[in-house]
Amino acid sequence: MIKALAEVTGNGDGYLTVRCQQKTSCGSCASKSSCGTGIVSNALPGKVLDIRVPSVKSVAVGSLIEIGLEEQTVLKSAMLVYILPLLSAIAGAILGQYLSTLMSIGEGIVILSSALAGIAGVAVARHFSNKLEQDTRTTPTLLRILGGAVGSAAVINAATDDSD
């Protein structure tokens, strides 16, 4: 299960509205200071996600919670969004090659059929991703309630020198 911390921004109707920062894998490797992608990801602020999480418990706004998402859901989404359009474009290219050989014309038909099949694959992926989004088994779940948000008075002094 993939876990993340989130802050509750609203509640009601059996759902919590939470806000969490999107995690990226970039910046965790040894070459993050010399990699162009790592430098850009450090310079730009992280993306904030607003998510609806089903909950039978009423949690106060501002509370910190831990949410979880099954790995199977991430794999299904990745297969749907990335692999399906790619396989459709490859199948379109194979069909175009067959038609090109059959009709003795140039490779324009290969490019056209590959592009059209890729676009069709994206449309099919979009349709099924909307259905997958509505499925309650693929939504994040509330794992535990950690407590209230950290107040401004409880922030640790981050200065390098001790204060008097």
Side-chain angles (χ1 to χ4, degrees):
M1 178 164 288
I2 300 169
K3 299 176 184 176
L5 294 178
E7 180 183 0
V8 178
T9 58
N11 55 20
D13 297 333
Y15 281 93
L16 297 175
T17 305
V18 300
R19 177 170 287 169
C20 65
Q21 184 136 11
Q22 182 177 3
K23 294 181 183 178
T24 62
S25 61
C26 193
S28 61
C29 68
S31 63
K32 66 182 174 185
S33 61
S34 61
C35 171
T37 306
I39 293 170
V40 170
S41 70
N42 287 337
L44 297 175
K47 185 177 181 182
V48 176
L49 303 172
D50 290 320
I51 304 169
R52 287 184 56 173
V53 178
S55 173
V56 293
K57 298 178 182 177
S58 178
V59 181
V61 173
S63 297
L64 293 177
I65 62 170
E66 185 177 37
I67 57 175
L69 186 65
E70 294 290 334
E71 288 92 353
Q72 181 180 2
T73 302
V74 176
L75 291 175
K76 280 182 185 178
S77 299
M79 290 287 290
L80 187 63
V81 172
Y82 295 112
I83 303 300
L84 181 65
L86 178 64
L87 291 178
S88 298
I90 290 171
I94 292 170
L95 176 67
Q97 185 64 42
Y98 174 73
L99 291 175
S100 172
T101 305
L102 186 67
M103 297 188 307
S104 299
I105 54 177
E107 63 185 30
I109 189 76
V110 177
I111 297 169
L112 181 64
S113 65
S114 178
L116 290 176
I119 291 169
V122 168
V124 169
R126 180 172 289 165
H127 172 72
F128 283 113
S129 69
N130 287 338
K131 283 189 173 189
L132 188 65
E133 187 177 320
Q134 301 303 321
D135 188 2
T136 58
R137 294 173 295 174
T138 61
T139 58
T141 57
L142 173 65
L143 297 178
R144 61 185 173 149
I145 301 169
L146 300 174
V150 177
S152 60
V155 174
I156 297 172
N157 184 2
T160 56
D161 296 328
D162 288 337
S163 60
D164 292 332

